Amino acid sequence: RLIPRVISLANSIDLITAIANDMDYSQIFSYQLENYSEKGDILIVISCSGNSKNIINATKYAIKNGLNIISFIGFGDNKFIKNSSNYYINLKTKNYGITEDIFQAMMHMVSQYIRKKYSKKSLEIL
């Protein structure tokens, strides 16, 4: 079984700033996908509204290049994101703070699941 390669497209402020300055802020995620993704990879979209151009462009890139899409949306009802996703969860919270808290908890659960599933030895803390 292969260990998944997980890359955050929001982790490097330096890279995001360079892409935004040299290209356009709306390309900060799709440009990284061009360099990092391969057909069959999974794009996990985490967005409060799902309406930001950088999120839409990343989703368009994923569709065009055969990536699977899992979307976690806090509120709003972007039909494009919903219809483009293999799995779609809308929290319908209407509150940025609560949405971001739930997203943080979800990211911890996903990372713990991946670590436990792909650990070469059983980790007691998991």
Side-chain angles (χ1 to χ4, degrees):
R1 109 184 128 164
L2 297 173
I3 297 173
R5 180 177 55 124
V6 179
I7 299 170
S8 170
L9 303 179
N11 195 42
S12 174
I13 297 301
D14 298 336
L15 184 56
I16 289 172
T17 302
I19 296 167
N21 287 339
D22 294 347
M23 299 170 72
D24 188 83
Y25 189 76
S26 67
Q27 301 300 314
I28 61 171
F29 301 132
S30 57
Y31 183 75
Q32 292 181 74
L33 287 173
E34 287 180 40
N35 291 291
Y36 296 133
S37 67
E38 298 175 7
K39 185 176 181 176
D41 283 351
I42 300 170
L43 171 64
I44 300 176
V45 172
I46 301 171
S47 175
C48 286
S49 70
N51 291 323
S52 300
K53 284 188 178 184
N54 52 28
I55 297 294
I56 301 295
N57 287 338
T59 304
K60 287 179 180 178
Y61 180 89
I63 294 165
K64 184 178 177 182
N65 292 280
L67 278 64
N68 297 296
I69 303 168
I70 299 172
S71 297
F72 299 110
I73 305 300
F75 46 83
D77 191 26
N78 185 304
K79 301 270 190 248
F80 174 72
I81 296 289
K82 184 176 185 175
N83 294 333
S84 301
S85 299
N86 300 84
Y87 297 97
Y88 175 86
I89 296 174
N90 188 329
L91 303 175
K92 298 183 180 184
T93 62
K94 303 199 184 310
N95 181 294
Y96 280 95
I98 291 171
T99 298
E100 290 168 357
D101 290 344
I102 293 170
F103 285 163
Q104 185 175 24
M106 290 168 61
M107 287 185 283
H108 283 291
M109 287 185 274
V110 169
S111 68
Q112 291 298 310
Y113 172 79
I114 291 170
R115 284 180 57 203
K116 185 173 184 177
K117 180 173 177 136
Y118 294 98
S119 174
K120 290 186 180 186
K121 51 185 167 184
S122 179
L123 300 174
E124 292 180 21
I125 61 169
L126 304 175

